[in-house]
Amino acid sequence: MRAQPLVWLQNRMGKNLVLLPPYVWMLLFFLLPFGFVLKISFSEAVIASPPFAPLLEYDPEEGILNAVFRVFNYQYLIEDTLYLKAYLGSIKIAAVSTLICLLIGYPFALGIARAPKSRQPLLLMALMLPFWTSLLIRVYAWIGILRQDGVLNNLLLSLGIIDEPLIMLQTTFATYVGIVYAYLPFMVLPLYAVLEKQDLTLLEASRDLGASPLRSFFDVTLPLSIPGIISGSMLVFIPVIGEFVIPTLLSGESTLMIGRVLWTEFFNNRDWPVASAVAIIMLLVLIIPIIVFQNQQAKQER
């Protein structure tokens, strides 16, 4: 009987040791940076190094430290419509890009999952091959493809499809092309992981009951792949919200996204408090829907 509490304690300690690395990781690389940025967002921009006023100010007359929280940075974001337009523009571009990645990536993932087992590693390797090259180089390659004297315009002109070069670079269209190209694997891989594990006998049963291939897809394959759709959509939507490199290189000033506004406030304007407030609101915009969704999923599972 005395051995049972000891075994329980060992099991408890073992579980805690397993959970310790993720918690340490979250503390070092999320909570501490988040707390630092949150602190700066309640500060005030000053000409100094670092370029923001401290939150704790010493009062020599009283001999105490006073905490001064300034909320005018958040008020400024509400009053200036530029930031609202940047947030809405980022959400729109992220949502449309996620939908395009889903429409293109689902057939890709389904084709890989239904391919012979011997070919699947080769197909996955082909999908991941672009990641062996820097993202910056790949985006610069799209500049050469989309510009007026680029590969795509020359091809369309030679085929007689167009009479004059199209303006594709420095447009929102170029942003969508670059984002879909860069983030498509993040949609395909979660979908493949779910589709590859599906029981194909369910499709055979559906066919035996007289369902057409299209009906079997919508009644069997698609519902069972919803977890992969959700995971892939989150992996695309969340990072695209704050994307900076692709819109800057491919569309420039024509596309307003919050990542570019954030970079401008930090490095051009040197207004770290406003930039931190922008980052905090962007984080809340992303985290709150995720938390609500996870709570709903947990309730459904119960």
Side-chain angles (χ1 to χ4, degrees), residues 151-299:
V151 176
L152 185 56
N153 269 316
N154 289 333
L155 178 61
L156 295 176
L157 288 170
S158 62
L159 294 176
I161 299 177
I162 58 175
D163 297 327
E164 58 182 11
L166 300 175
I167 300 176
M168 292 179 285
L169 198 62
Q170 301 300 315
T171 62
T172 306
F173 168 77
T175 300
Y176 284 123
V177 170
I179 290 176
V180 171
Y181 165 75
Y183 288 93
L184 184 61
F186 294 99
M187 178 66 74
V188 174
L189 292 177
L191 286 171
Y192 163 77
V194 173
L195 292 170
E196 196 272 336
K197 296 178 181 178
Q198 286 187 359
D199 189 357
L200 297 182
T201 58
L202 297 175
L203 294 176
E204 295 176 3
S206 178
R207 301 283 183 86
D208 292 339
L209 293 174
S212 64
L214 187 61
R215 181 67 181 274
S216 298
F217 171 77
F218 283 105
D219 289 348
V220 179
T221 304
L222 186 60
L224 293 177
S225 61
I226 288 179
I229 294 175
I230 295 173
S231 300
S233 298
M234 286 187 175
L235 287 175
V236 174
F237 181 82
I238 292 174
V240 170
I241 285 284
E243 181 60 51
F244 167 73
V245 174
I246 296 175
T248 301
L249 294 179
L250 296 183
S251 61
E253 301 291 341
S254 63
T255 302
L256 181 62
M257 293 188 69
I258 199 64
R260 182 175 179 84
V261 174
L262 190 63
W263 186 91
T264 302
E265 293 293 350
F266 260 116
F267 298 102
N268 287 359
N269 299 339
R270 295 280 293 175
D271 196 340
W272 286 25
V274 170
S276 299
V278 172
I280 293 296
I281 293 179
M282 182 174 65
L283 185 62
L284 294 178
V285 168
L286 295 175
I287 283 183
I288 291 177
I290 294 174
I291 294 175
V292 172
F293 172 77
Q294 288 179 342
N295 291 334
Q296 292 179 349
Q297 289 291 104
K299 292 179 182 179

Side-chain angles (χ1 to χ4, degrees), residues 2-80:
R2 294 179 179 178
Q4 290 183 355
L6 181 61
V7 172
W8 178 85
L9 181 60
Q10 290 176 347
N11 293 335
R12 186 71 177 178
M13 291 179 62
K15 292 179 181 179
N16 291 336
L17 288 175
V18 171
L19 295 175
L20 183 60
Y23 281 115
V24 172
W25 178 275
M26 290 289 293
L27 176 64
L28 294 178
F29 298 103
F30 177 74
L31 292 180
L32 289 180
F34 174 78
F36 185 68
V37 173
L38 182 63
K39 182 195 77 170
I40 297 176
S41 69
F42 289 106
S43 182
E44 181 182 7
V46 295
I47 302 177
S49 182
F52 56 89
L55 292 183
L56 298 178
E57 296 182 354
Y58 179 73
D59 188 351
E61 297 180 358
E62 299 290 337
I64 58 174
L65 287 174
N66 296 321
V68 181
F69 291 90
R70 305 168 179 87
V71 297
F72 51 75
N73 295 317
Y74 294 94
Q75 294 176 350
Y76 177 68
L77 298 184
I78 297 173
E79 295 171 357
D80 195 335

